[in-house]
Amino acid sequence: MIKNDLFLRALKGETVDRPPVWMMRQAGRYLPEFMEIREKYDFFTRCRTPELASEITVQPIRRYGMDAAILFSDILVVPQAMNVEVEMKPNFGPYLPNPIRDKKSLDQVIIPDVNEELGYVMDAIKATKEKLNNEIPLIGFAGSPWTILCYMVQGQGSKNFDKAKEFCFTQPVLAHELLRKITETTIAYLKAKVKAGVNAVQVFDSWGGMLSPVDYQEFSWQYINDIIEALKDEVPVIAFGKGCWFALNEMSKSGASALGIDWTCSARNARYLTGGNITLQGNFDPSRLLSPPNEIKKMVTEMINNFGKDKYIVNLGHGILPNIPLENAKAFVDAVKEYKP
């Protein structure tokens, strides 16, 4: 049994003394101990080496004592497993030299044996579980099919993912075929993670907000919902759509255990749109961690009061930034641990 199960209890909607806290991208580049590892090993080596991935996962827990750990990995290991080349270029980000834009390139995309192609992720989960020693739960994650498609078609990060949208709107049959392949792979991948020992999973729809509400239903939400349906009986699923406040009502009717909220949607609106009966997670603006620590503490307390302590998980509205001072991240976590209703 997990000693600190606050996070899992919040996912079930149980009454708690204080909400749990963790931070998206908490295992990463704002930590000096992470930077030391980064200097020695390139990005995908860190993802593919279980000792490194597990060490990076537990670094923030040792330092700050969050209520949940999230496995260090990347959403783009999925396209790699599907026979799509992905490079991580320094000072540039992801680069996919052969983007999928026609039938010929789509036919090269496979639905892999996830245990074979992504076995290193399962090994990292097992190594992490050993290090965590049942102290806190471990979260596994995947990108949403639409977000993965964005990179596979665009070939790199983008402000508007124009080529990805053009592909969906001019070749919808191919787009849905690709989304289906990604969805099937993601379901198998997350199920394998559950088998390896993760206690919850999160689906990151980082680029969902690029779509209109109508297009969101067609090209993103229906596939996320398939993933939720396939996993909800095995493990709690958190769905996080950045910029997708317009879909919160629809999302709240799904089998998800919690919904992530970004900082552009107020607690009040998020509770209203979701009908007040699903656990919400978020939604501190990551840039606000640049405010002075005493101000951060005040804002976090206010945020908890606005969401309410129950059916709530304290988190950022997106991943932590690399330039956040260590004491500011500490103030964020401490404010939650010191919370008195």
Side-chain angles (χ1 to χ4, degrees):
M1 289 303 291
I2 289 174
K3 293 176 194 129
N4 171 1
D5 63 349
L6 192 57
F7 170 73
L8 298 174
R9 286 171 54 214
L11 284 173
K12 287 187 195 137
E14 291 177 14
T15 302
V16 291
D17 292 332
R18 68 159 176 91
V21 57
W22 68 279
M23 290 188 274
M24 290 186 271
R25 289 213 192 116
Q26 65 189 18
R29 35 195 193 162
Y30 70 107
L31 293 172
E33 52 269 46
F34 172 82
M35 300 305 273
E36 274 175 39
I37 294 177
R38 188 167 93 161
E39 274 160 34
K40 293 184 202 153
Y41 306 96
D42 72 61
F43 184 79
F44 283 116
T45 301
R46 298 195 297 270
C47 290
R48 288 191 190 121
T49 312
E51 301 76 52
L52 294 177
S54 61
E55 170 58 26
I56 293 166
T57 301
V58 299
Q59 283 177 345
I61 310 305
R62 284 192 202 120
R63 193 182 265 275
Y64 300 119
M66 289 89 165
D67 297 304
I70 182 162
L71 187 75
F72 174 77
S73 186
D74 194 80
I75 63 171
L76 296 177
V77 299
V78 166
Q80 282 178 331
M82 296 177 75
N83 197 31
V84 177
E85 192 186 341
V86 182
E87 301 167 21
M88 197 59 80
K89 289 191 169 182
N91 307 316
F92 179 81
Y95 177 67
L96 293 76
N98 309 301
I100 311 304
R101 292 183 190 161
D102 53 31
K103 181 82 177 106
K104 190 170 170 245
S105 54
L106 177 59
D107 288 343
Q108 302 298 307
V109 179
I110 62 163
I111 296 171
D113 175 334
V114 291
N115 288 305
E116 208 168 287
E117 296 299 324
L118 294 163
Y120 61 86
V121 178
M122 312 317 150
D123 292 341
I125 290 168
K126 288 168 192 158
T128 306
K129 291 291 285 186
E130 225 163 275
K131 286 190 169 105
L132 290 174
N133 193 25
N134 285 333
E135 290 294 334
I136 54 168
L138 177 63
I139 305 164
F141 70 90
S144 73
W146 158 254
T147 289
I148 299 294
L149 174 144
C150 279
Y151 288 107
M152 279 171 131
V153 177
Q154 195 79 22
Q156 61 186 71
S158 166
K159 283 197 164 67
N160 57 9
F161 287 98
D162 52 342
K163 292 183 175 76
K165 289 172 93 167
E166 180 187 353
F167 178 70
C168 288
F169 302 157
T170 59
Q171 306 182 77
V173 174
L174 294 186
H176 285 296
E177 192 184 323
L178 178 56
L179 287 162
R180 179 54 49 211
K181 282 184 175 183
I182 300 167
T183 303
E184 281 186 38
T185 304
T186 304
I187 288 169
Y189 176 50
L190 289 174
K191 285 193 166 201
K193 282 187 170 185
V194 174
K195 213 170 162 191
V198 301
N199 306 99
V201 296
Q202 176 157 316
V203 179
F204 282 85
D205 195 11
S206 304
W207 306 123
M210 297 281 166
L211 294 166
S212 74
V214 172
D215 291 331
Y216 187 72
Q217 290 297 327
E218 183 181 346
F219 294 103
S220 188
W221 176 248
Q222 64 164 320
Y223 295 102
I224 295 174
N225 200 40
D226 287 351
I227 295 168
I228 294 168
E229 283 299 307
L231 278 130
K232 66 175 189 188
D233 294 335
E234 292 179 31
V235 73
V237 183
I238 304 169
F240 172 57
K242 185 169 181 284
C244 303
W245 62 269
F246 54 79
L248 283 174
N249 185 256
E250 177 84 10
M251 292 163 113
S252 71
K253 295 173 185 153
S254 72
S257 291
L259 301 176
I261 310 293
D262 69 47
W263 68 94
T264 62
C265 182
S266 69
R268 186 179 170 186
N269 280 347
R271 286 289 184 209
Y272 171 74
L273 291 166
T274 55
N277 41 20
I278 188 167
T279 297
L280 299 180
Q281 174 180 282
N283 68 341
F284 202 77
D285 179 349
S287 302
R288 266 292 176 187
L289 288 178
L290 293 162
S291 302
N294 58 345
E295 229 172 277
I296 292 169
K297 284 191 162 187
K298 259 188 247 160
M299 291 166 80
V300 169
T301 304
E302 205 171 296
M303 179 171 78
I304 299 171
N305 289 336
N306 288 339
F307 276 99
K309 70 171 176 68
D310 295 328
K311 291 185 184 156
Y312 178 50
I313 296 160
V314 179
N315 206 320
L316 305 174
H318 204 225
I320 189 169
L321 303 166
N323 58 336
I324 299 303
L326 295 172
E327 63 272 22
N328 294 24
K330 184 178 188 312
F332 181 83
V333 176
D334 286 351
V336 187
K337 291 182 161 183
E338 293 158 9
Y339 181 77
K340 296 278 186 286

